[in-house]
Amino acid sequence: MSKLSPVLGLVRGRTPGQLIIQITDRCNATCPQCSMRVSNNFSRSSLSFKKCRDIIDRAAKNGVQALSITGGEPLLYLDDVCELMAYARSAGIQYTRTGTNGYFLRNPDKPGFIDHVKRSVEKLANAGIRNFWISIDSAVPSVHESMRGFDGVIKGIEKALPIFHQAGLYPTANMGINRNLGGLNNNIFTSTHVPATPGEEQDYVACVEEGLRSFFSLVANLGFTIVNFCYPMSVDTDEKGLEAVYPASSVESVIRFSKKEKSLLFKALLNTVPQYRSALRIFSPLSSLYTLLQVYNGKEMAPFPCRGGINYFFINASDGQTYPCGYRGMDNLGSYRQGISTTVPKAFCTRCDWECFRDPSELFGPIVHGFREPLSLLKKYKRDATYYRLWRDDLRYYKRCDFFNGNRAFDLKRLETYSPPAH
Ligand code: SF4
Ligand code: SF4
């Protein structure tokens, strides 16, 4: 692929392609927010190394630039994952990403812990993985550990992060937003009562903000330098006509939020994230948070269409088939290796908030739109200048963050002078 290809792609309305391979739906954690937890009884599957490698070959030919290997718990297949990631890099896929629920960081006081961690980290670093996430569910260590079912894992993460850094890998703290974010005493947020008065709404936002502040402080103290949020995926499937491809969501109240709560949640994120941008590399784009806030507030705001099914795809572990994303189970696009079906219309879709696809779609949206429909972009800009102010700020901030290159050391000096935009 020539160096001009990504630019030509943007002119033609295509952002760099992204592929998520769910290598397995096996997992050893107990997370209440996810139906793949170990206690759930269903027939589990994994994709073979060869199948994944063939998919990567095809992805590289298709010009895919970003590859994620997810699970279940991907590191149950540590050697395969590392080999596949290295293979993808050598095939020209630059942005490689995988992660863990942290199970191999349990028992930090056991003899041999450091050596055992060093061996795994060395494999991950040698594979040239660009971004590596470690999930953190709560600002309160004991709450996180009881959700995951991993005693002592927070101390293990703290001990392991310097080893990662030494090997040139700067992991991301990945928070899937849930009601235990600020701990179990964060009452307004942990309760499922939907705020009904302006006073209750204000208290709710303040409560989430407090939880977020504690979370940022925990992850910074542990030694993380990159943070990402996954937005709640309690999709009203009936209403939106969606059908989850894989069991990543749950019916448990810990992860289910009403529309009103989501609007307050996005408000709290939009207020809090900018305050910590000068201390941590926080991926969640303000332009996305702002768009979601407007949408949940019922304001007229057309988000940029999601690239899911256009040039972002998801490969499911249980049937090995390709889907536009993890939430359009009714749109089976067939085998990625053999060439996916083109019969499913490349629809304008904004039916869920899956950050893996929605955040980059929102970030690339103005660029793609600018090349294809400059006038309509101008109109959009005039209607909502705040969005564009936040979007420009996102790009400037991303540059300061080396575009979240998890192989680059944290340069706090470049972030310290960042000042949040008005919105
Ligand atoms: S959230 Fe991740 S670690 Fe937790 S049960 Fe689901 S797949 Fe496993
Ligand atoms: S918005 Fe994107 S991720 Fe969500 S259902 Fe539509 S294509 Fe899938």
Side-chain angles (χ1 to χ4, degrees), residues 242 306 308-309 324-328 349-354 357-358:
L242 294 176
C306 179
C325 63
Y327 294 87
R328 280 169 54 188
C349 184
T350 52
R351 279 179 286 173
C352 81
D353 307 332
W354 201 34
F357 283 6
R358 289 298 302 280

Side-chain angles (χ1 to χ4, degrees), residues 188 195-209 264 267:
I188 304 170
T197 64
E200 283 185 346
E201 288 178 9
Q202 222 172 0
D203 289 348
Y204 190 98
V205 172
C207 184
V208 181
E209 287 179 5
L264 301 172
K267 185 172 182 185

Side-chain angles (χ1 to χ4, degrees), residues 89-375:
R89 281 298 278 259
S90 67
I93 299 178
Q94 294 179 46
Y95 303 99
T96 50
R97 190 169 73 124
T98 191
T100 184
N101 58 26
Y103 79 96
F104 73 106
L105 306 174
R106 289 171 297 181
N107 307 318
D109 298 324
K110 256 195 170 173
F113 174 82
I114 296 285
D115 288 340
H116 150 76
V117 172
K118 271 187 181 162
R119 277 194 298 275
S120 301
V121 170
E122 205 173 298
K123 286 183 188 175
L124 293 163
N126 288 344
I129 292 165
R130 187 181 191 270
N131 289 101
F132 183 77
W133 75 80
I134 301 176
S135 303
I136 305 278
D137 294 333
S138 176
V140 177
S142 59
V143 174
H144 168 76
E145 291 175 357
S146 102
M147 286 172 78
R148 296 265 151 184
F150 296 153
D151 280 353
V153 73
I154 289 288
K155 189 172 168 198
I157 292 170
E158 190 173 18
K159 272 177 117 171
L161 282 174
I163 302 173
F164 275 96
H165 296 172
Q166 229 165 18
L169 193 51
Y170 292 79
T172 302
N174 200 45
M175 151 65 72
I177 293 176
N178 69 83
R179 290 186 189 278
N180 298 344
L181 180 159
L184 301 177
N185 295 329
N186 220 213
N187 290 333
I188 304 170
F189 196 42
T190 47
S191 123
T192 50
H193 169 69
V194 179
T197 64
E200 283 185 346
E201 288 178 9
Q202 222 172 0
D203 289 348
Y204 190 98
V205 172
C207 184
V208 181
E209 287 179 5
E210 190 192 318
L212 288 168
R213 281 195 292 273
S214 310
F215 170 73
F216 284 128
S217 148
L218 172 76
V219 294
N221 288 338
L222 289 177
F224 281 104
T225 65
I226 309 180
V227 176
N228 181 50
F229 289 102
C230 300
Y231 312 134
M233 284 305 302
S234 52
V235 180
D236 302 317
T237 44
D238 299 344
E239 192 187 321
K240 306 256 180 149
L242 294 176
E243 191 184 307
V245 179
Y246 70 126
S249 56
S250 160
V251 293
E252 301 292 328
S253 61
V254 70
I255 195 71
R256 300 199 71 78
F257 294 89
S258 65
K259 283 182 188 161
K260 164 60 78 184
E261 287 177 297
K262 283 189 190 174
S263 82
L264 301 172
L265 193 56
F266 286 118
K267 185 172 182 185
L269 279 164
L270 192 57
N271 289 343
T272 316
V273 166
Q275 293 168 18
Y276 287 84
R277 273 186 159 187
S278 53
L280 286 158
R281 298 180 272 187
I282 307 172
F283 178 77
S284 309
L286 302 184
S287 48
S288 262
L289 297 173
Y290 176 77
T291 303
L292 288 163
L293 172 63
Q294 302 303 316
V295 168
Y296 282 107
N297 274 346
K299 298 246 171 77
E300 198 194 321
M301 172 91 190
F304 287 100
C306 179
R307 310 292 305 171
I310 298 173
N311 61 339
Y312 295 177
F313 297 99
F314 176 84
I315 315 268
N316 182 31
S318 72
D319 60 6
Q321 299 287 288
T322 315
Y323 293 86
C325 63
Y327 294 87
R328 280 169 54 188
M330 60 293 184
D331 291 336
N332 184 340
L333 301 172
S335 158
Y336 194 85
R337 290 180 297 171
Q338 283 152 19
I340 50 179
S341 155
T342 49
T343 52
V344 174
K346 294 189 171 169
F348 179 112
C349 184
T350 52
R351 279 179 286 173
C352 81
D353 307 332
W354 201 34
E355 55 79 40
C356 297
F357 283 6
R358 289 298 302 280
D359 279 351
S361 302
E362 203 61 48
L363 279 168
F364 279 111
I367 302 174
V368 172
H369 219 69
F371 278 121
R372 291 180 72 79
E373 299 166 57
L375 280 179

